Amino acid sequence: RTVAQIAPSGDFGNTLSLNCDNPLLSAQQLSIVCDNENLLVSANPANAFDVVGNTGLPAFNFIDPATGATYNRGFAQILRRNVEGGPRQDDLQHTSFRTVVGMKGDLGKAWSYDAYYQYGRTNFAETYLNDFSVARITRAIDVVTGPAGTPVCRSTTDGSDPNCVPWDIFAPGGVTPAALTYIQTPGFQRGINSEQVVSGALTGDLGEYGMKTPWANDGVALALGVEYRKETLEFVSDAAFQSGDLAGQGAPTLPVSGSYDVKEFFGEVRVPLVQESFIHALTVAGGYRRSKYGIGGGGSYSTDTYKIEGEFAPIKDIRFRAGYNRAVRVPTLQDLFAPRRVALDGANDPCAGTINAPKGPLTAADTGCLAQGLSIGQIVTPNPADQYNGLIGGNPNLLPEVADTWTVGAVITPSFLPGFSASVDWFDIKVDNAIQGIGADAILTQCTNTSNPFFCGLVNRDASGSLWRTSNGFIVDTTQNVGGASTSGLDVSANYSRAIGGAGRASVSFVGTYLDSLVTDDGISTPYDCKGFHGALCGTPNPKWRHQMRVSFDHKSGLGASVRWRYFDGVTQDRASSNPSLNGVTQPANLKIPAVNYFDLSLTAKIGDHYKFNLGANNLLDKQPPIVAGAACPAGACNGNVWAQVYDSVGRYVYVGITLDF
């Protein structure tokens, strides 16, 4: 169970007008909101941005259902948090269980078998507290003067909602506890994930039949097997989530259900060619798996994965290894079946502002903005939180993405230095036919820079030209098989351990990764390398070098201590790249994240044969995380303006524990 605290809810632009017979408005507020040029000309929500000043039409006369009196409404998109009601809470509970029944044994000297059935299930329950109801906000700011001369909700006087309480956000201290009780509402979601597996495998030592080379002690090893898996997903949300009535969710959360099953055959072989002969060792191995997937509701496809590996040790002290692997990632149930909905998806709108007037030459970007349906001189309001809408969702026609992985490395265990080992491995991974969206920002950039009708056709702006003010403005960014990704680099590790006289044992370990490339291909724009960058497009920081090093000493008395050093190389905001797919406006606060070092301390005490105590502190020096904001910290990627996936976001973390063995 996890209870997350989230910033207060509020009216995040969910309401678009105020009534001009509202007694809560001061004279100054009334003169601004209900200026004749700002009055609505229609009651149709589709025309929510149409006012007298931009249409030339007369103001629309709304009719009060209780009194029959007419009144006007002025355009006003309110952005105000629930500072009086405090933060939201997201209570998440996952209850998981798994059961396995199986049997294994030998079938003579050469063969053994292993067969099992497994069932696993996770029950999900979410209770979201202290959010605002959009419907209730709308009624709570539609206030009139009641029969007793006090402000009341119009819905109270006409009987449509007698429980409504006015939400007075127009005067300091005007918000009452009763209003908060009325507007605040919970949301509930439930879900079940389950998996069934039936698997059986045979393992054989073919050396028992004489199948081995003259230079090897061990024979050919073979494994064969079959497997069946089925995965199901059932997710339901209440009416508040489904209707999008919760103001702080950004979009409706819709039910999802679906399943798929897979039937597989697999085999693997290992052939020792030479063992302790004219060279120390030479071994080759290979594997193959054939899978057939059936998608619930129709559709099927098959995949083939395979590998080949080799190890060569000319002497005992050094071993070289290399391998090639063809892998696949099949679409998840959410990839396949997630409902399509308008939700927060992008972090940038290059057309925000005003397109140049005819007196000045139009830039390529101006032309691209016009291709999106905007007009010369039109003002497009930017989102102050850098959050823009996309139409996202699953695709039942998705195919697996395919990866090719190459590795080459060496392991050193020098006989002249007992207790020491080191390894170096080069990796090169490329993914094709990736399961992803093109990306709202990438689509918008392509349209704006090139006016390409395909990409501009994916841009849907609302009546105000916005991509965030209403759900009618969005970028079509549904999941598909497009583009790919690749990465390459070097993994390095080393370990050394030795006794220090009769006092105990000291050890040192080191693990590091050098990132040579991390390339993203969205299928439409120039592929871009995120090595050494962070930001809205590259996401979490991708340092060129990172490592962990631990120094430990365990005394013969059972006392032990270790210090760990964690290092992350510095990174730059992605918009500073010269790559045209990344290059853009940077912010001084986001431009550079310097190198970060953390030091962790761990103390242990072993008492007897059954008790072990642990005391430690991660981030011992209480180093605060680097802060980023705005365009470099898009919604859903950062946590509190911190890249919490990489850097310690909570400062020093102290823990204590005990292990009891019986």
Side-chain angles (χ1 to χ4, degrees):
R1 179 182 180 186
T2 303
V3 180
Q5 179 170 295
I6 306 167
S9 186
D11 188 345
F12 300 111
N14 305 99
T15 58
L16 298 177
S17 67
L18 289 169
N19 56 304
C20 295
D21 56 348
N22 194 321
L24 301 180
L25 297 176
S26 68
Q28 183 186 30
Q29 293 165 346
L30 186 65
S31 67
I32 295 172
V33 174
C34 293
D35 179 89
N36 183 65
E37 298 294 301
N38 194 53
L39 296 180
L40 301 187
V41 299
S42 171
N44 188 340
N47 305 114
F49 295 99
D50 293 341
V51 296
V52 173
N54 63 28
T55 65
L57 298 174
F60 184 83
N61 289 322
F62 293 80
I63 300 176
D64 187 302
T67 65
T70 61
Y71 65 96
N72 298 125
R73 300 188 69 89
F75 177 83
Q77 187 165 29
I78 295 172
L79 299 163
R80 187 191 190 278
R81 283 197 182 272
N82 176 26
V83 292
E84 296 84 5
R88 289 164 283 173
Q89 284 193 334
D90 193 2
D91 188 340
L92 298 159
Q93 297 186 51
H94 295 82
T95 305
S96 301
F97 65 88
R98 186 185 69 145
T99 181
V100 183
V101 58
M103 56 192 301
K104 59 183 179 180
D106 296 326
L107 300 172
K109 294 181 64 176
W111 294 92
S112 62
Y113 69 92
D114 189 349
Y116 69 90
Y117 168 78
Q118 172 185 298
Y119 177 78
R121 172 168 162 166
T122 298
N123 297 333
F124 166 73
E126 178 180 16
T127 303
Y128 201 95
L129 302 172
N130 215 24
D131 208 343
F132 266 10
S133 162
V134 175
R136 294 182 185 180
I137 294 173
T138 304
R139 292 193 290 266
I141 61 174
D142 186 13
V143 179
V144 297
T145 302
T150 57
V152 296
C153 300
R154 192 185 307 274
S155 59
T156 301
T157 62
D158 65 23
S160 59
D161 186 357
N163 297 316
C164 181
V165 178
W167 187 41
D168 186 1
I169 56 175
F170 308 102
V175 176
T176 64
L180 296 179
T181 300
Y182 170 70
I183 297 175
Q184 292 170 165
T185 187
F188 303 94
Q189 300 185 127
R190 301 291 183 265
I192 296 174
N193 264 109
S194 67
E195 181 186 53
Q196 298 183 69
V197 181
V198 181
S199 182
L202 291 173
T203 303
D205 178 6
L206 303 187
E208 293 293 330
Y209 304 114
M211 295 184 64
K212 60 182 179 180
T213 70
W215 312 283
N217 300 321
D218 298 328
V220 176
L222 178 67
L224 300 171
V226 294
E227 186 168 294
Y228 171 82
R229 297 193 309 276
K230 183 174 183 178
E231 297 195 19
T232 64
L233 166 67
E234 297 177 34
F235 172 80
V236 293
S237 51
D238 68 0
F241 271 110
Q242 290 189 38
S243 64
D245 187 51
L246 298 177
Q249 302 304 307
T253 303
L254 304 175
V256 187
S257 65
S259 67
Y260 71 78
D261 61 12
V262 55
K263 304 177 182 70
E264 295 182 321
F265 162 80
F266 56 89
E268 189 166 351
V269 63
R270 178 179 174 85
V271 183
L273 298 175
V274 181
Q275 290 178 309
E276 299 178 349
S277 182
F278 53 91
I279 59 174
H280 181 67
L282 177 62
T283 302
V284 294
Y288 172 79
R289 180 181 293 260
R290 174 74 173 180
S291 307
K292 183 174 182 179
Y293 290 84
I295 309 302
S300 65
Y301 51 78
S302 298
T303 63
D304 298 281
T305 58
Y306 39 88
K307 67 175 183 177
I308 184 169
E309 301 170 336
E311 291 185 349
F312 169 56
I315 59 176
K316 188 176 181 180
D317 292 12
I318 186 168
R319 181 184 302 268
F320 299 98
R321 57 193 181 191
Y324 165 76
N325 186 76
R326 163 61 62 90
V328 300
R329 184 182 81 83
V330 300
T332 67
L333 290 171
Q334 284 283 1
D335 290 333
L336 293 167
F337 301 113
R340 297 194 173 187
R341 61 195 181 110
V342 175
L344 299 178
D345 188 42
N348 183 45
D349 183 358
C351 296
T354 307
I355 300 174
N356 289 333
K359 61 182 181 181
L362 292 175
T363 66
D366 290 332
T367 303
C369 293
L370 294 175
Q372 299 168 30
L374 300 175
S375 58
I376 293 176
Q378 183 175 1
I379 298 174
V380 179
T381 306
N383 186 311
D386 295 313
Q387 299 174 342
Y388 296 90
N389 294 333
L391 177 64
I392 61 174
N395 180 354
N397 298 316
L398 289 173
L399 297 174
E401 59 186 25
V402 179
D404 292 305
T405 301
W406 297 87
T407 58
V408 178
V411 181
I412 303 171
T413 54
S415 56
F416 60 83
L417 188 59
F420 176 82
S421 65
S423 67
V424 179
D425 289 282
W426 176 263
F427 59 87
D428 189 304
I429 305 168
K430 183 179 181 181
V431 179
D432 291 317
N433 210 31
I435 300 171
Q436 61 182 350
I438 295 174
D441 290 339
I443 293 170
L444 198 56
T445 298
Q446 283 292 308
C447 171
T448 304
N449 292 342
T450 68
S451 299
N452 185 302
F454 172 77
F455 300 114
C456 291
L458 301 176
V459 181
N460 295 268
R461 292 183 176 271
D462 68 13
S464 70
S466 174
L467 294 170
W468 67 273
R469 299 181 78 174
T470 71
S471 59
N472 294 322
F474 57 86
I475 307 293
V476 179
D477 186 27
T478 52
T479 305
Q480 53 190 295
N481 291 108
V482 59
S486 64
T487 186
S488 62
L490 197 67
D491 286 333
V492 180
S493 67
N495 297 276
Y496 182 54
S497 175
R498 65 169 296 169
I500 307 297
R505 178 169 290 275
S507 59
V508 179
S509 64
F510 179 90
V511 178
T513 296
Y514 169 74
L515 183 64
D516 182 63
S517 67
L518 183 61
V519 177
T520 297
D521 179 5
D522 58 28
I524 62 168
S525 53
T526 303
Y528 53 89
D529 191 347
C530 285
K531 176 187 67 176
F533 290 110
H534 79 104
L537 293 178
C538 285
T540 57
N542 303 289
K544 297 178 183 178
W545 174 259
R546 68 177 75 191
H547 71 245
Q548 292 189 31
M549 180 177 180
R550 184 183 293 275
V551 179
S552 306
F553 179 74
D554 294 305
H555 194 268
K556 65 179 182 179
S557 65
L559 299 177
S562 71
V563 176
R564 181 175 61 164
W565 170 29
R566 292 178 285 143
Y567 173 83
F568 300 91
D569 213 356
V571 292
T572 303
Q573 186 181 359
D574 50 15
R575 292 298 189 183
S577 170
S578 59
N579 187 297
S581 297
L582 292 177
N583 187 258
V585 178
T586 63
Q587 302 81 37
N590 296 324
L591 186 58
K592 293 284 187 180
I593 296 179
V596 175
N597 294 274
Y598 295 111
F599 295 93
D600 308 325
L601 175 65
S602 176
L603 305 174
T604 60
K606 187 175 182 181
I607 301 175
D609 296 329
H610 304 290
Y611 302 92
K612 185 176 182 180
F613 295 89
N614 302 278
L615 173 64
N618 292 336
N619 191 2
L620 181 65
L621 302 181
D622 198 24
K623 185 177 183 63
Q624 298 303 301
I627 302 296
V628 292
C633 190
C638 284
N639 186 347
N641 297 97
V642 173
W643 290 113
Q645 304 93 324
V646 177
Y647 307 111
D648 288 6
S649 60
V650 294
R652 184 185 297 113
Y653 178 81
V654 179
Y655 61 90
V656 62
I658 182 172
T659 302
L660 308 177
D661 293 326
F662 299 98

